[in-house]
Amino acid sequence: MNTKIQTPFLLSLIATVALTACGGGGGDSSTASKSTTPAPTSTPASTPSPTPVVDGESLPDLAHPQTGSTADAGNGLEGIWSTSGTSHTYATIDPTNNLQYVDGIATIATTEFFGSIVPTSSTWVLNTGVKYSGGFFYTASSGSGAFAAKQTFSGSYVANGSTVNLAWNYDAANALAVTQSSVTGTWTETNTSLTVDNAGAVSGTMSNCPVSGTLVLTTPLSNKNLYTFTVTVSGTASSCSAPSGTTFNGQAAIVFLPISGSSLYKRTIFYAAKTADNSRYAIGQVAKP
């Protein structure tokens, strides 16, 4: 029988932010000179609306990955896996086969998973795993499946007496070549603001909890889009549910959100981390303001 433990959730659930194009044009401030001859009357031509200025970029191309990116230099299993639509998933697998994922419906996260797998050339079996759902966490077992390198990942495992099925696609963000400075700056979502310096030091708040730590490339000096995320609650706040000294460790990656009304995308950082004793987890998706 699996042990069921009440889990106090720390962070706001995964935020798939609805991004909209914005911008506008300024009017002509000059004044037209008056004519002494009356001009014939006519129906004024309609003024076209200014073209919105969209702050975004095109998706990286898996068919032509950027040099050094995970899709270019990875082993075919490591990287970011996902599904899209109203029901969606972000999963990450690091080079040592640690796997974690978050399922969501619209803006609500429904399942969080942290574990590790043992792969062969095209199959995998679950080594360890913990699934969070409905305020509890459960030990995962009997996991196995198959993958096609840089294409698909599928399989299932058992948690709390139920079989959980997985079916993911290799994400376009794997074709993005990054550096440590790719995550430099301030990234925010509701009740969360994280500032990352050029060396990967993190400071700020997560769900109103003051935190400090690091966000550094999982493979140092590489251009692979996967980061190791470690933060510790470094103080107290009345609206923070985690005690000072609580440490979260997990993975993070740059992923892309579509911009409404445009063919362009916005960069975000998706992260998922948990405490060593599994009592708390932290997930979020932050973007630059």
Side-chain angles (χ1 to χ4, degrees), residues 246-268:
T246 302
T247 296
F248 299 85
N249 187 71
Q251 300 170 15
I254 295 174
V255 296
F256 293 85
L257 286 179
I259 299 175
S260 178
S262 167
S263 61
L264 300 179
Y265 291 78
K266 178 79 171 180
R267 290 192 186 196
T268 69

Side-chain angles (χ1 to χ4, degrees), residues 90-93 98-102 113-115 249-252 271-273:
Y90 282 129
T92 53
I93 302 175
N98 293 304
L99 179 154
Q100 58 189 59
Y101 76 85
V102 175
F113 179 93
F114 299 84
N249 187 71
Q251 300 170 15
Y271 61 86

Side-chain angles (χ1 to χ4, degrees), residues 2 6 17-18 20 26 42 82-83 89 106 129 134 156 198 206 218 270 283:
N2 291 329
Q6 183 70 39
V17 183
T20 58
S42 62
S82 64
T83 64
T89 299
S156 65
N198 288 330
M206 295 196 316
T218 301
F270 168 74
I283 61 174

Side-chain angles (χ1 to χ4, degrees), residues 12 142 147 195 269 275:
S12 55
S142 304
F147 67 94
T195 298
I269 296 176
T275 58

Side-chain angles (χ1 to χ4, degrees), residues 2-289:
N2 291 329
T3 302
K4 186 166 65 174
I5 302 175
Q6 183 70 39
T7 305
F9 294 157
L10 172 60
L11 289 189
S12 55
L13 298 183
I14 182 172
T16 50
V17 183
L19 298 166
T20 58
C22 60
D28 185 355
S29 61
S30 63
T31 302
S33 60
K34 293 183 179 180
S35 172
T36 58
T37 304
T41 59
S42 62
T43 302
S46 60
T47 302
S49 299
T51 302
V53 177
V54 181
D55 182 14
E57 61 187 289
S58 299
L59 275 181
D61 185 0
L62 284 172
H64 303 91
Q66 297 172 17
T67 302
S69 65
T70 307
D72 176 57
N75 61 23
L77 177 62
E78 65 181 298
I80 307 157
W81 300 83
S82 64
T83 64
S84 59
T86 302
S87 177
H88 53 272
T89 299
Y90 282 129
T92 53
I93 302 175
D94 73 10
T96 58
N97 305 314
N98 293 304
L99 179 154
Q100 58 189 59
Y101 76 85
V102 175
D103 285 335
I105 298 176
T107 61
I108 304 301
T110 55
T111 299
E112 300 77 23
F113 179 93
F114 299 84
S116 65
I117 59 175
V118 179
T120 65
S121 60
S122 61
T123 64
W124 62 271
V125 295
L126 182 67
N127 182 30
T128 62
V130 174
K131 175 194 174 188
Y132 295 83
S133 182
F136 301 90
F137 74 79
Y138 309 93
T139 300
S141 62
S142 304
S144 64
F147 67 94
K150 303 180 184 180
Q151 296 181 57
T152 58
F153 183 101
S154 62
S156 65
Y157 64 87
V158 175
N160 192 32
S162 298
T163 298
V164 180
N165 294 308
L166 309 174
W168 307 329
N169 297 312
Y170 196 64
D171 196 275
N174 290 303
L176 177 71
V178 303
T179 64
Q180 182 60 53
S181 64
S182 296
V183 293
T184 299
T186 298
W187 305 76
T188 66
E189 67 168 325
T190 303
N191 298 325
T192 295
S193 179
L194 300 174
T195 298
V196 187
D197 71 12
N198 288 330
V202 174
S203 61
T205 58
M206 295 196 316
S207 196
N208 299 316
C209 294
V211 296
S212 60
T214 57
L215 179 65
V216 294
L217 284 166
T218 301
T219 304
L221 303 179
S222 77
N223 299 119
K224 297 177 182 178
N225 181 12
L226 192 64
Y227 296 81
T228 298
F229 182 58
T230 303
V231 291
T232 299
V233 178
S234 53
T236 58
S238 59
S239 54
C240 173
S241 65
S244 180
T246 302
T247 296
F248 299 85
N249 187 71
Q251 300 170 15
I254 295 174
V255 296
F256 293 85
L257 286 179
I259 299 175
S260 178
S262 167
S263 61
L264 300 179
Y265 291 78
K266 178 79 171 180
R267 290 192 186 196
T268 69
I269 296 176
F270 168 74
Y271 61 86
K274 71 176 187 66
T275 58
D277 64 359
N278 300 324
S279 63
R280 298 173 184 266
Y281 69 80
I283 61 174
Q285 190 168 5
V286 288
K288 289 188 175 180

